[in-house]
Amino acid sequence: MRKVLLPALIIIAAALLVIRIFYLQIIDDTFKLQSENNAIKIKYDYPERGYIYDRYGKLLVANQASYDIMVIPREIKNLDTLEFCQLLNIQKEDFIKIIEKAKVYSPRLPSVFLPQLNKVEFAAFQEKIRNFEGFYFQKRSLRDYEADYGANIFGFITQVNDNLIKKNPYYKSGDLIGKQGVEESYEEILRGVKGVTYTQKDKYNREIGSYKEGRYDTIAIPGKDITLTIDAEIQKYGEQLMINKRGGIVAIEPKTGEILALITAPTYDPGILVGRQRSKNYTKLYNDSIANPLYDRGLLAQYPPGSPFKILTGLVGLQEGVIDEKTTFMCNHGFAYAPGRFQRCHCGGGSRDLHVGIYKSCNAYFSNVFLRTIGKYKAPYAVDVWSNHIKSFGLGEFMGYDLPTGKRGKIPNSKTYKKMYPDWGWSGKTIISNAIGQGEVLMTPIQLANMMAAVANEGYYYTPHIIKKIAGTTIDKKFTTKHVTTIDKSHFKPIISGLFDVYNMGTAAGLRVEGIDICGKTGTAENFAKINGVRTQLKDHSIFVAFAPKDNPKIAIAIMIENGGFGSTIAGPIASLMIEKYLKKKITRTDLETRILNTSLQSQYAKLGGLNEDVKRELRIKDSIAQLKLKKQNPTPTVTVKKDSTKKN
């Protein structure tokens, strides 16, 4: 039996191998089509990218015709390089570099020689294309922006790089892909599927017809249109209000989690990243390390939240039962929480309960609440109880929204302080700055806006998202899943009452809008930077959070203005104006509008820019000194290098 079994297995294995080889070489042409087959020409048909609309159906991003000049290096023959370069307005040195790069990619397969020619540029080339063997044109569609705002939302289109081509076989050299914003998040939906045509050629490189009668040809499938949750009008208006300022604004519809506006400042016109000047313009934006226009402050910038965080301090105190609405604390123009340690307050001083503590923004009141909360449990467990309540509002973690960038923010817990104080030499008084949104607490503007949405909803929120509708597809279920905080609904009423009186008799009394009941909270966060190795205090950040109307809220908003000073000075007026613009579709507080439009913080940022340059200069000097010291410690022999006079240096 054994004598028969072994030969049988060998025969069966050999037969299977022969059958597989026959199938691959005779029947299945897949690998033949994928290889660099000189007898088969592959031509792609690129579909139109899906359009982008705002929540009301306003067209924001469409397409325009564009042409890429493609090259197959092996097919270049009898080329008049001078005429070719003059026609396309390029240098001969650039021509050589591009051809060499194309050869490295593949001498037989097409790659992009010159991308994104417009109709005028292409017309001149089209007349003489028959004179340039090895070159042909590929029609594509580029983005046509109907809006000069929302660049951080849209993102941009760029060519794929070699690494991506290796990772994803769908993309070929010269293909375009979405980067940043919704172009990246919804790339596969927006791009569609390109079609492909296989044409057979004879030994003279002449096309002789469709390969296999078109059996493997496919048609292009257009990209799907998407509708965003963005309100184009308040997006545009918000960007106008933020001219000459830096910071972020995020507005959310509380009942759905839909993002109404996502503003970062400074920003740029998305149209400058289209066409042959795209690379040049992008480089300028990228190299602006002072203003950072490519940095989405609404999603990435992590700031101390300041006084708006007192909302959560109060809610946690109520939930833990360490206070009720009538609990009072005395404010002596601040709070002496330890010998020689005094926390100042600008509320005016006196006896404070929860309601007054909120609308007068009393530091002493909320510091006492925080100490009672931490003091209820033994350390380090006490900090974790507090931290878990705060995190239930979506803070301290990635939020899961449908944009490709973001930061966690920071909500400290016992592990944080174990690292900071390894001997456990800390207490509630040590970390008391957290009570008023300073200390180790950091939040992004979108997290602040989501926090206010949860307060407006009295204890729940939906994951913020920017997609409202996809043609023929449903949106991800996670955006319709309710998240409930650890705070009982009953505790939100007194907090909301206090926030309402912030506008009636508190720190935002001068920002009221007739006919709209707004609940809000001013904030001023201390701002520090390391200058010349020294922790230096700079002008405070201006912060404001709000929602409206008080009953059945339709918008929650967070504004963060870098170096803007008091919350009621710049951030507060912007909140009132954007809320009115969204709810009334017009502005009655023209006094606020005029003031904000005429407010510039460029002088403040110029100082920071100067400081940055000083720091850079000092670092360069220190680096030079270090290099000199290193050379003295480790001397090396001098090497003389002869220059080749026949080559350019």
Side-chain angles (χ1 to χ4, degrees), residues 569-637:
T569 304
I570 300 179
I574 291 176
S576 293
L577 290 168
M578 290 195 67
I579 287 171
E580 184 177 26
K581 183 75 170 179
Y582 180 66
L583 296 179
K584 287 188 172 182
K585 310 301 180 186
K586 63 179 182 179
I587 295 298
T588 61
R589 288 301 306 267
T590 53
D591 58 322
L592 293 180
E593 182 180 58
T594 301
R595 174 154 68 86
I596 294 302
L597 290 174
N598 292 330
T599 296
S600 173
L601 297 177
Q602 290 301 332
S603 60
Q604 285 290 324
Y605 304 139
K607 293 177 185 177
L608 293 174
L611 289 173
N612 289 339
E613 290 305 314
D614 289 341
V615 173
K616 290 177 183 177
R617 192 180 302 111
E618 183 178 341
L619 289 173
R620 286 196 295 270
I621 292 170
K622 287 181 177 179
D623 184 61
S624 298
I625 293 172
Q627 291 296 327
L628 287 172
K629 288 181 178 178
L630 187 64
K631 286 182 179 179
K632 287 181 179 179
Q633 293 170 0
N634 301 288
T636 54

Coordinates of all heavy atoms in Angstrom, one line a residue, residues 569-637:
T569 N -14.6 89.7 25.6 CA -14.1 90.8 24.7 C -14.2 90.4 23.2 O -14.6 91.2 22.4 CB -12.6 91.1 25.1 OG1 -12.5 91.4 26.4 CG2 -12.1 92.2 24.2
I570 N -13.7 89.2 22.9 CA -13.7 88.8 21.4 C -14.5 87.5 21.2 O -15.4 87.5 20.4 CB -12.3 88.6 20.9 CG1 -11.5 89.9 21.1 CG2 -12.3 88.2 19.5 CD1 -10.1 89.9 20.6
A571 N -14.2 86.5 22.0 CA -14.9 85.2 21.8 C -16.4 85.3 22.0 O -17.2 84.8 21.3 CB -14.3 84.1 22.7
G572 N -16.8 86.0 23.1 CA -18.2 86.2 23.4 C -19.0 86.8 22.3 O -20.1 86.3 21.9
P573 N -18.6 88.0 21.8 CA -19.3 88.6 20.7 C -19.4 87.8 19.5 O -20.5 87.7 18.8 CB -18.5 89.9 20.4 CG -17.9 90.2 21.7 CD -17.6 88.9 22.3
I574 N -18.4 87.0 19.1 CA -18.4 86.1 18.0 C -19.5 85.0 18.2 O -20.3 84.7 17.3 CB -17.1 85.5 17.7 CG1 -16.1 86.5 17.3 CG2 -17.2 84.3 16.7 CD1 -14.6 86.0 17.1
A575 N -19.6 84.5 19.4 CA -20.6 83.5 19.7 C -22.0 84.1 19.5 O -22.9 83.5 18.8 CB -20.5 83.0 21.1
S576 N -22.3 85.3 20.0 CA -23.6 85.9 19.8 C -23.9 86.1 18.4 O -25.1 85.9 17.9 CB -23.7 87.2 20.6 OG -23.6 87.0 22.0
L577 N -23.0 86.6 17.6 CA -23.2 86.9 16.2 C -23.5 85.7 15.4 O -24.4 85.6 14.6 CB -21.9 87.6 15.6 CG -21.7 89.1 16.1 CD1 -20.4 89.6 15.7 CD2 -22.8 90.0 15.6
M578 N -22.7 84.6 15.7 CA -22.9 83.4 14.9 C -24.2 82.7 15.3 O -24.9 82.1 14.4 CB -21.7 82.4 15.1 CG -20.5 82.9 14.4 SD -19.2 81.7 14.3 CE -19.9 80.6 13.1
I579 N -24.6 82.7 16.5 CA -25.9 82.2 16.9 C -27.0 82.9 16.3 O -28.0 82.3 15.7 CB -26.0 82.2 18.5 CG1 -25.1 81.1 19.1 CG2 -27.5 82.0 18.9 CD1 -25.0 81.2 20.6
E580 N -26.9 84.3 16.2 CA -28.0 85.0 15.6 C -28.0 84.8 14.1 O -29.1 84.6 13.5 CB -27.8 86.5 15.8 CG -28.9 87.4 15.3 CD -28.8 88.8 15.5 OE1 -27.6 89.3 15.7 OE2 -29.8 89.5 15.6
K581 N -26.9 84.7 13.5 CA -26.8 84.4 12.0 C -27.4 83.1 11.7 O -28.2 83.0 10.7 CB -25.3 84.4 11.6 CG -25.1 84.2 10.1 CD -25.4 85.5 9.3 CE -25.0 85.4 7.9 NZ -25.3 86.6 7.1
Y582 N -27.2 82.1 12.5 CA -27.8 80.8 12.3 C -29.3 80.7 12.5 O -30.0 80.2 11.7 CB -27.1 79.7 13.1 CG -27.6 78.3 12.9 CD1 -27.4 77.7 11.7 CD2 -28.3 77.6 13.9 CE1 -27.9 76.4 11.5 CE2 -28.8 76.3 13.7 CZ -28.6 75.7 12.5 OH -29.1 74.5 12.3
L583 N -29.7 81.3 13.6 CA -31.2 81.2 14.0 C -32.0 82.2 13.3 O -33.2 81.9 12.9 CB -31.3 81.3 15.5 CG -30.6 80.2 16.4 CD1 -30.8 80.5 17.8 CD2 -31.2 78.9 16.0
K584 N -31.5 83.4 13.1 CA -32.3 84.5 12.4 C -32.0 84.7 11.0 O -32.8 85.4 10.3 CB -32.1 85.8 13.2 CG -32.8 85.8 14.6 CD -32.7 87.3 15.1 CE -33.5 87.4 16.4 NZ -33.5 88.8 16.9
K585 N -30.9 84.2 10.5 CA -30.4 84.4 9.2 C -30.1 85.9 8.9 O -29.9 86.3 7.7 CB -31.4 83.9 8.1 CG -31.9 82.5 8.3 CD -30.8 81.5 8.3 CE -31.3 80.1 8.6 NZ -30.3 79.1 8.7
K586 N -29.9 86.7 9.9 CA -29.6 88.1 9.8 C -28.9 88.6 11.1 O -28.9 87.9 12.1 CB -30.8 89.0 9.5 CG -31.8 89.0 10.6 CD -33.0 89.9 10.3 CE -34.0 89.9 11.4 NZ -35.2 90.8 11.1
I587 N -28.3 89.8 11.0 CA -27.6 90.3 12.2 C -28.3 91.6 12.6 O -28.4 92.6 11.8 CB -26.1 90.6 11.9 CG1 -25.4 89.3 11.6 CG2 -25.4 91.3 13.0 CD1 -25.4 88.3 12.7
T588 N -28.7 91.7 13.9 CA -29.2 92.9 14.5 C -28.2 93.6 15.4 O -28.2 94.8 15.5 CB -30.5 92.7 15.3 OG1 -30.2 91.8 16.4 CG2 -31.6 92.0 14.4
R589 N -27.3 92.8 15.9 CA -26.2 93.4 16.8 C -25.1 93.9 15.9 O -23.9 93.4 15.9 CB -25.7 92.4 17.8 CG -26.7 92.0 18.9 CD -27.0 93.3 19.7 NE -25.9 94.0 20.3 CZ -25.4 93.8 21.5 NH1 -25.9 92.9 22.3 NH2 -24.3 94.5 21.9
T590 N -25.4 94.8 15.0 CA -24.4 95.4 14.1 C -23.2 96.1 14.9 O -22.1 96.2 14.3 CB -25.0 96.4 13.1 OG1 -25.7 97.4 13.9 CG2 -26.0 95.6 12.2
D591 N -23.5 96.5 16.1 CA -22.4 97.1 16.9 C -21.3 96.1 17.2 O -20.1 96.4 17.1 CB -23.0 97.7 18.2 CG -23.7 96.7 19.0 OD1 -24.4 95.8 18.4 OD2 -23.6 96.8 20.3
L592 N -21.8 94.9 17.6 CA -20.8 93.8 17.9 C -20.1 93.4 16.6 O -18.9 93.2 16.6 CB -21.5 92.6 18.5 CG -22.1 92.7 19.9 CD1 -22.8 91.4 20.3 CD2 -21.1 93.2 20.9
E593 N -20.8 93.3 15.5 CA -20.3 92.9 14.2 C -19.2 93.9 13.8 O -18.1 93.4 13.4 CB -21.4 92.8 13.2 CG -20.9 92.3 11.8 CD -22.0 92.2 10.8 OE1 -22.6 93.3 10.6 OE2 -22.2 91.1 10.2
T594 N -19.5 95.2 13.9 CA -18.5 96.2 13.4 C -17.2 96.1 14.3 O -16.1 96.1 13.8 CB -19.1 97.6 13.5 OG1 -20.3 97.6 12.7 CG2 -18.1 98.6 13.1
R595 N -17.4 95.9 15.6 CA -16.3 95.9 16.5 C -15.4 94.7 16.2 O -14.2 94.8 16.2 CB -16.8 95.8 17.9 CG -15.6 95.6 19.0 CD -16.0 96.2 20.3 NE -17.1 95.5 20.9 CZ -16.9 94.4 21.7 NH1 -15.7 93.9 21.9 NH2 -17.9 93.8 22.3
I596 N -16.0 93.5 16.0 CA -15.2 92.3 15.8 C -14.5 92.3 14.4 O -13.4 91.9 14.3 CB -16.1 91.0 15.9 CG1 -16.6 90.9 17.3 CG2 -15.4 89.8 15.4 CD1 -15.5 90.8 18.4
L597 N -15.2 92.8 13.4 CA -14.6 92.9 12.1 C -13.4 93.8 12.0 O -12.5 93.6 11.3 CB -15.7 93.3 11.0 CG -16.8 92.3 10.7 CD1 -17.8 92.9 9.8 CD2 -16.2 91.0 10.0
N598 N -13.5 94.8 12.9 CA -12.4 95.8 12.9 C -11.3 95.5 14.0 O -10.4 96.2 14.1 CB -12.9 97.2 13.2 CG -13.8 97.8 12.1 OD1 -13.5 97.4 10.9 ND2 -14.8 98.6 12.4
T599 N -11.5 94.3 14.7 CA -10.5 93.9 15.7 C -9.4 93.1 15.0 O -9.7 92.1 14.4 CB -11.2 93.1 16.8 OG1 -12.1 94.0 17.5 CG2 -10.1 92.6 17.8
S600 N -8.2 93.5 15.2 CA -7.0 92.7 14.8 C -6.1 92.4 15.9 O -5.8 93.3 16.7 CB -6.3 93.5 13.7 OG -5.1 92.9 13.3
L601 N -5.7 91.2 16.0 CA -4.7 90.8 17.0 C -3.3 90.6 16.4 O -2.4 89.9 17.0 CB -5.2 89.5 17.7 CG -6.5 89.6 18.4 CD1 -6.9 88.2 19.0 CD2 -6.4 90.6 19.6
Q602 N -3.1 91.1 15.2 CA -1.8 90.9 14.5 C -0.7 91.4 15.3 O 0.4 90.9 15.2 CB -1.9 91.5 13.1 CG -2.8 90.7 12.1 CD -2.4 89.3 11.9 OE1 -1.3 88.9 12.1 NE2 -3.4 88.4 11.6
S603 N -0.9 92.5 16.0 CA 0.2 93.1 16.8 C 0.7 92.1 17.9 O 1.9 92.0 18.2 CB -0.2 94.4 17.4 OG -1.3 94.3 18.2
Q604 N -0.3 91.4 18.5 CA 0.0 90.4 19.5 C 0.8 89.3 18.8 O 1.8 88.8 19.4 CB -1.3 89.9 20.1 CG -1.9 90.8 21.1 CD -1.1 90.9 22.4 OE1 -0.5 90.0 22.8 NE2 -1.1 92.1 22.9
Y605 N 0.4 88.8 17.7 CA 1.0 87.7 17.0 C 2.4 88.1 16.5 O 3.3 87.2 16.4 CB 0.1 87.1 15.9 CG -1.2 86.8 16.4 CD1 -2.4 87.0 15.6 CD2 -1.4 86.1 17.6 CE1 -3.6 86.7 16.1 CE2 -2.7 85.8 18.1 CZ -3.8 86.1 17.3 OH -5.0 85.7 17.7
A606 N 2.6 89.4 16.1 CA 3.9 89.8 15.7 C 4.9 89.7 16.8 O 6.0 89.3 16.6 CB 3.8 91.3 15.2
K607 N 4.4 90.0 18.0 CA 5.3 89.9 19.2 C 5.7 88.4 19.4 O 6.9 88.1 19.6 CB 4.6 90.4 20.5 CG 4.3 91.9 20.5 CD 3.6 92.2 21.7 CE 3.2 93.7 21.7 NZ 2.3 94.0 22.9
L608 N 4.7 87.5 19.2 CA 5.0 86.1 19.4 C 6.0 85.6 18.3 O 6.9 84.8 18.5 CB 3.7 85.3 19.3 CG 2.8 85.5 20.5 CD1 1.5 84.7 20.2 CD2 3.4 85.0 21.8
G609 N 5.8 86.1 17.1 CA 6.7 85.8 16.0 C 8.1 86.2 16.2 O 9.0 85.5 16.0
G610 N 8.2 87.4 16.8 CA 9.6 87.9 17.2 C 10.2 87.0 18.2 O 11.4 86.7 18.2
L611 N 9.4 86.6 19.2 CA 9.9 85.7 20.3 C 10.3 84.4 19.7 O 11.3 83.8 20.0 CB 8.8 85.5 21.3 CG 8.5 86.7 22.2 CD1 7.3 86.4 23.1 CD2 9.7 87.0 23.1
N612 N 9.5 83.9 18.7 CA 9.9 82.6 18.1 C 11.2 82.7 17.3 O 12.0 81.8 17.4 CB 8.8 82.2 17.1 CG 7.5 81.8 17.8 OD1 7.6 81.4 18.9 ND2 6.4 81.8 17.1
E613 N 11.4 83.9 16.7 CA 12.7 84.1 16.0 C 13.8 84.2 16.9 O 14.9 83.6 16.7 CB 12.6 85.3 15.1 CG 11.7 85.2 13.9 CD 12.0 84.0 13.0 OE1 13.2 83.8 12.7 OE2 11.1 83.3 12.6
D614 N 13.6 84.8 18.1 CA 14.6 84.9 19.1 C 15.0 83.5 19.6 O 16.2 83.2 19.8 CB 14.2 85.8 20.3 CG 14.1 87.3 19.9 OD1 14.7 87.6 18.9 OD2 13.4 88.0 20.6
V615 N 14.0 82.7 19.8 CA 14.2 81.4 20.3 C 15.0 80.6 19.3 O 16.0 79.9 19.6 CB 12.9 80.6 20.6 CG1 13.1 79.2 21.0 CG2 12.2 81.3 21.8
K616 N 14.6 80.7 18.0 CA 15.3 79.9 17.0 C 16.8 80.4 16.9 O 17.7 79.6 16.7 CB 14.6 80.2 15.6 CG 13.2 79.5 15.5 CD 12.6 79.9 14.2 CE 11.2 79.3 14.0 NZ 10.5 79.7 12.8
R617 N 17.0 81.7 17.0 CA 18.3 82.2 16.9 C 19.2 81.7 18.1 O 20.3 81.3 17.9 CB 18.3 83.8 16.9 CG 19.6 84.4 16.6 CD 19.5 86.0 16.6 NE 18.5 86.4 15.7 CZ 17.3 87.0 16.1 NH1 17.1 87.1 17.4 NH2 16.5 87.4 15.2
E618 N 18.6 81.7 19.3 CA 19.3 81.2 20.4 C 19.6 79.7 20.3 O 20.7 79.3 20.6 CB 18.5 81.4 21.7 CG 19.2 81.0 23.0 CD 18.4 81.3 24.2 OE1 17.5 82.1 24.1 OE2 18.7 80.7 25.2
L619 N 18.7 79.0 19.7 CA 18.9 77.5 19.5 C 20.1 77.3 18.5 O 20.9 76.4 18.7 CB 17.7 76.8 19.1 CG 16.6 76.7 20.1 CD1 15.3 76.1 19.5 CD2 17.0 75.8 21.2
R620 N 20.1 78.2 17.5 CA 21.2 78.0 16.5 C 22.5 78.3 17.1 O 23.5 77.6 16.8 CB 20.9 79.0 15.3 CG 19.8 78.5 14.4 CD 19.8 79.3 13.0 NE 19.6 80.7 13.2 CZ 18.4 81.2 13.1 NH1 17.3 80.5 12.9 NH2 18.2 82.5 13.3
I621 N 22.6 79.4 18.0 CA 23.8 79.7 18.6 C 24.3 78.6 19.6 O 25.4 78.2 19.6 CB 23.6 81.0 19.4 CG1 23.4 82.2 18.5 CG2 24.9 81.3 20.3 CD1 23.0 83.5 19.2
K622 N 23.3 78.1 20.4 CA 23.6 76.9 21.3 C 24.1 75.7 20.5 O 25.0 75.0 20.9 CB 22.4 76.6 22.1 CG 22.1 77.6 23.2 CD 20.8 77.1 24.0 CE 20.5 78.1 25.1 NZ 19.3 77.7 25.9
D623 N 23.5 75.5 19.3 CA 23.9 74.3 18.5 C 25.3 74.5 18.0 O 26.1 73.6 18.0 CB 22.9 74.1 17.4 CG 23.2 72.9 16.5 OD1 23.2 71.8 17.1 OD2 23.5 73.1 15.3
S624 N 25.6 75.7 17.6 CA 27.0 76.0 17.0 C 28.0 75.8 18.1 O 29.1 75.3 17.9 CB 27.0 77.4 16.5 OG 26.1 77.6 15.4
I625 N 27.7 76.3 19.4 CA 28.6 76.2 20.5 C 28.8 74.7 20.8 O 30.0 74.2 21.0 CB 28.1 76.9 21.7 CG1 28.1 78.4 21.5 CG2 28.9 76.6 23.0 CD1 27.4 79.2 22.5
A626 N 27.7 73.9 20.8 CA 27.8 72.5 21.1 C 28.7 71.8 20.0 O 29.5 70.9 20.3 CB 26.4 71.9 21.1
Q627 N 28.5 72.2 18.7 CA 29.3 71.6 17.7 C 30.8 71.9 17.8 O 31.7 71.0 17.6 CB 28.8 72.1 16.3 CG 27.4 71.6 15.9 CD 27.4 70.1 15.7 OE1 28.4 69.5 15.3 NE2 26.3 69.5 16.1
L628 N 31.1 73.1 18.2 CA 32.5 73.5 18.5 C 33.1 72.7 19.6 O 34.3 72.2 19.5 CB 32.6 75.0 18.8 CG 32.4 75.9 17.6 CD1 32.3 77.4 18.1 CD2 33.5 75.8 16.5
K629 N 32.4 72.5 20.7 CA 32.8 71.7 21.8 C 33.1 70.3 21.4 O 34.1 69.7 21.8 CB 31.8 71.8 23.0 CG 31.8 73.1 23.7 CD 30.7 73.1 24.8 CE 30.7 74.4 25.6 NZ 29.7 74.4 26.7
L630 N 32.2 69.8 20.6 CA 32.3 68.4 20.1 C 33.5 68.2 19.3 O 34.2 67.2 19.4 CB 31.0 68.0 19.3 CG 30.9 66.5 18.9 CD1 30.8 65.7 20.2 CD2 29.7 66.3 18.0
K631 N 33.8 69.2 18.4 CA 35.0 69.1 17.6 C 36.3 69.1 18.4 O 37.3 68.4 18.1 CB 35.0 70.2 16.6 CG 34.0 70.0 15.4 CD 34.1 71.2 14.4 CE 33.1 70.9 13.3 NZ 33.1 72.0 12.3
K632 N 36.3 70.0 19.5 CA 37.5 70.0 20.3 C 37.7 68.7 21.1 O 38.8 68.3 21.3 CB 37.3 71.2 21.3 CG 37.4 72.6 20.7 CD 37.3 73.6 21.8 CE 37.4 75.0 21.1 NZ 37.2 76.1 22.1
Q633 N 36.6 68.1 21.5 CA 36.7 66.8 22.2 C 37.1 65.7 21.3 O 37.7 64.7 21.7 CB 35.4 66.5 22.9 CG 35.1 67.5 24.0 CD 33.6 67.3 24.5 OE1 32.9 66.4 24.1 NE2 33.2 68.1 25.5
N634 N 36.6 65.7 20.0 CA 36.9 64.6 19.1 C 37.4 65.2 17.8 O 36.7 65.2 16.8 CB 35.6 63.9 18.8 CG 34.9 63.3 20.1 OD1 35.4 62.4 20.6 ND2 33.9 63.9 20.5
P635 N 38.7 65.6 17.8 CA 39.3 66.2 16.6 C 39.4 65.1 15.5 O 39.7 64.0 15.7 CB 40.7 66.6 17.0 CG 41.0 65.8 18.2 CD 39.7 65.6 18.9
T636 N 39.1 65.5 14.2 CA 39.1 64.6 13.1 C 40.1 65.2 12.1 O 40.3 66.4 11.9 CB 37.8 64.5 12.4 OG1 37.2 65.8 12.1 CG2 36.8 63.8 13.4
P637 N 40.8 64.3 11.3 CA 41.7 64.8 10.3 C 41.0 65.6 9.2 O 39.8 65.3 8.9 CB 42.3 63.5 9.7 CG 41.3 62.5 10.0 CD 40.7 62.9 11.3

